[in-house]
Amino acid sequence: QMKLVESGGGSVQAGGSLRVSCAASGYTYSSYCMGWFRQAPGKEREGVATIDNDGSTRYADSVKGRFTISQDNAKNTLYLQMNSLKPEDTAIYYCAADFRSTLEQCWYKDFGYWGQGTQVTVSS
């Protein structure tokens, strides 16, 4: 069983930066997908960024050039660096993880493990 714990959310003014982290523990995979998702009030959850064990990344169009997903394998930690934040980035941010099959594209993965979420609020 894998456990994911997010941290680092908070409140920031538009144009500011935040970094959220996701610590993974328990069983981990050598071939994996990990990702960040977000859900704003009254909206469906959406993908923000994904990364795989090869380091390949993909971003939602709305965050390209502003957000960066990265990982520290030694610490089993996933990060999302968020720059130039906008009020529309306000949401609960969740990290997710799961096994990655050969050649599987993480962006389309149906993730099985989720963290509890961390609130990010951007004020104008």
Side-chain angles (χ1 to χ4, degrees):
Q1 189 78 353
M2 182 184 296
K3 182 178 180 182
L4 303 172
V5 179
E6 300 98 335
S7 61
S11 297
V12 65
Q13 289 193 327
S17 298
L18 277 175
R19 188 179 78 163
V20 291
S21 303
C22 173
S25 61
Y27 184 81
T28 55
Y29 301 104
S30 58
S31 180
Y32 59 83
C33 289
M34 295 194 77
W36 287 99
F37 294 76
R38 66 187 182 186
Q39 187 166 20
K43 295 188 177 181
E44 293 187 354
R45 186 175 64 196
E46 63 176 356
V48 176
T50 58
I51 189 168
D52 65 25
N53 53 287
D54 294 327
S56 296
T57 59
R58 181 166 173 172
Y59 297 88
D61 289 343
S62 59
V63 307
K64 279 180 183 176
R66 300 188 298 121
F67 290 11
T68 303
I69 188 172
S70 63
Q71 57 192 344
D72 184 333
N73 291 332
K75 296 181 179 179
N76 285 336
T77 300
L78 180 73
Y79 302 100
L80 184 69
Q81 177 67 43
M82 302 180 288
N83 299 328
S84 301
L85 281 160
K86 304 175 181 180
E88 52 263 44
D89 295 318
T90 295
I92 299 175
Y93 283 71
Y94 299 91
C95 82
D98 212 329
F99 172 77
R100 176 189 174 219
S101 302
T102 304
L103 301 180
E104 184 174 17
Q105 296 185 49
C106 295
W107 188 255
Y108 303 102
K109 181 74 181 178
D110 184 15
F111 287 86
Y113 298 99
W114 293 84
Q116 82 289 350
T118 185
Q119 178 71 46
V120 171
T121 302
V122 185
S123 58
S124 57

